[in-house]
């Protein structure tokens, strides 16, 4: 729904009717209409508990999670009543904002079986508070926590498998730390957009650097479509 809203009338031209759509960093792969999960990779109860234990230390502005039911709104939690009002104005269209106790939030998560938890922390140092092995990546100022072994790269592989497309016919592009696994795949073309960010130690070999989305678009126009 959010993708269709952003693309507007271009949606049908950009995404064909038989195309699965990867969402939530590849933790959800949905059909074109956004009515059915083709693949879904939920967090485990242990991963949810670990995350909430870290959140309970009070270093978080807010967290959001995406439920398994595809029509259900995202849930956005914050400990601040003042911030809740602002968040509701900004995100209320597609997220339910709550300030309920973490124990209540935990019970809701057990029912909703989320596939990703996005956390806006007061400091990037919060990443060090998670146990070793926790699958957490930084994206646009937000920590994304997913089930062990899940990455955007795995999401791309799943979509290619569903569509019967070899990876050597795939093009990937990204601009953040969580995009790096896509750029590590043996694909036809891979692009990194913009300046290299803090936290990214290196760009995978063979990646084409472009300055902005417009430059990426110019590169994509040159790609030949083979029948």
């Amino acid at each position: 729904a959010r993708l269709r809203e952003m693309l507007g009338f271009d949606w049908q031209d950009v995404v064909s009717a038989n195309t699965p759509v990867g969402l939530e960093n590849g933790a959800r792969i949905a059909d074109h209409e956004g009515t059915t999960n083709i693949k879904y990779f939920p967090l485990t109860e242990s991963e949810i508990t670990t995350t909430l234990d870290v959140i309970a230390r009070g270093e978080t502005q807010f967290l959001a999670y995406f439920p398994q039911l595809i029509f259900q709104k995202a849930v956005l939690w914050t400990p601040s009543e003042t911030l809740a009002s602002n968040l509701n104005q900004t995100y209320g269209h597609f997220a339910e904002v709550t300030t309920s106790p973490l124990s209540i939030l935990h019970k809701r998560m057990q029912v909703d079986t989320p596939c990703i938890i996005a956390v806006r922390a007061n400091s990037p140092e919060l990443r060090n508070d998670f146990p070793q092995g926790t699958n957490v990546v930084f994206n646009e100022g937000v920590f994304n926590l997913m089930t062990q072994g899940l990455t955007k790269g795995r999401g791309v592989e799943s979509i290619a498998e569903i569509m019967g497309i070899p990876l050597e016919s795939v093009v990937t592009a990204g601009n953040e730390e969580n995009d790096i696994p896509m750029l590590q795949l043996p694909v036809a073309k891979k692009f990194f957009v913009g300046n290299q960010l803090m936290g990214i130690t290196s760009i995978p070999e063979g990646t084409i650097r472009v300055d902005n989305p417009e430059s990426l678009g110019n590169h994509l126009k040159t790609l030949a479509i083979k029948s």
Side-chain angles (χ1 to χ4, degrees), residues 192-205:
F192 188 87
V193 185
N195 297 320
Q196 189 166 321
L197 302 172
M198 181 180 67
I200 299 178
T201 56
S202 64
I203 303 299
E205 185 178 354

Side-chain angles (χ1 to χ4, degrees), residues 61-76:
Q61 295 179 29
F62 63 84
L63 71 79
Y65 73 81
F66 299 89
Q68 183 166 2
L69 289 178
I70 206 162
F71 285 116
Q72 187 175 338
K73 281 186 174 184
V75 176
L76 200 160

